[in-house]
Amino acid sequence: MNLANKITLVRIFLVPVVMIFLLIRFDFGVVRLGVVTLRVSELIATFVFIIAAVTDGLDGYIARKNKTITNLGKFLDPLADKLLITAALISLVDMQRLPAWIAIVIISREFAVTGLRLIAVAEGHIIAASTLGKIKTIVQIVAIVSLMLNNFPFSNFAFPFSIIATWLAVIITILSGLDYFYKNRKIVSLTKNG
């Protein structure tokens, strides 16, 4: 249990914290930000989500720098990412800030790529994260934060940033999923023949 893995575990433990502050209507008051009114608990959830998202890059950097990459870390890191994104998306659907079909598309892609990785491991291959996959994660995080903040500060200028970011996240999510399957089609075909 090295430092990188401990940071990953912290990210996993922050997932329910994000959901609690997003979904439970704590009476901490509200904050008016221009034309947007947000519950203080929503701001806390957004802050915790951002901290959790930042640890995603931090744990990987520390593991590489200290040469402490472990099998546990390889398992926990993508699990933590998927838990964080999935929990946030489901919470946003519940808050009626995100259409359910968008959450389903994004979560389905995550399950599909995870399945592909499991098949690859069974065949003795490791599928590394692609550049497009990393971009996908960043765009998803930006879209989720903008939805948590109900499009603040862009709502003050009547600019639909959260809608644009969400559509971009959907498009890049689908493209990166297709990219994973295309680049690893030999692994899929091995499974069919096996």
Side-chain angles (χ1 to χ4, degrees), residues 1-155:
M1 183 57 66
N2 57 43
L3 178 60
N5 291 344
K6 287 177 183 175
I7 292 170
T8 305
L9 281 176
V10 168
R11 185 157 78 256
I12 291 171
F13 289 126
L14 289 178
V15 170
V17 176
V18 171
M19 291 187 75
I20 287 167
F21 281 103
L22 273 181
L23 298 176
I24 298 176
R25 297 196 163 271
F26 292 107
D27 191 18
F28 297 151
V30 296
V31 177
R32 183 123 175 113
L33 302 168
V35 299
V36 173
T37 301
L38 294 170
R39 290 180 285 125
V40 171
S41 57
E42 291 174 317
L43 292 174
I44 293 169
T46 305
F47 179 70
V48 173
F49 178 84
I50 291 169
I51 288 173
V54 167
T55 67
D56 180 24
L58 183 63
D59 58 5
Y61 171 77
I62 289 171
R64 286 187 299 276
K65 183 181 174 209
N66 296 339
K67 296 185 170 111
T68 54
I69 297 170
T70 63
N71 287 334
L72 178 64
K74 288 178 188 176
F75 169 75
L76 285 180
D77 186 56
L79 175 66
D81 297 344
K82 284 165 183 42
L83 287 172
L84 182 65
I85 297 295
T86 300
L89 292 172
I90 291 169
S91 299
L92 289 165
V93 169
D94 185 70
M95 296 168 69
Q96 298 183 346
R97 291 192 189 163
L98 181 71
W101 74 266
I102 289 178
I104 290 167
V105 166
I106 293 173
I107 294 168
S108 296
R109 179 265 183 212
E110 299 302 335
F111 277 112
V113 171
T114 299
L116 177 64
R117 282 195 164 119
L118 290 173
I119 291 168
V121 167
E123 297 292 331
H125 303 281
I126 294 199
I127 299 175
S130 69
T131 302
L132 195 55
K134 291 175 183 175
I135 292 168
K136 178 262 318 173
T137 302
I138 293 167
V139 174
Q140 284 178 353
I141 290 167
V142 169
I144 288 168
V145 169
S146 71
L147 290 166
M148 284 180 175
L149 294 176
N150 212 5
N151 199 40
F152 175 80
F154 303 98
S155 51

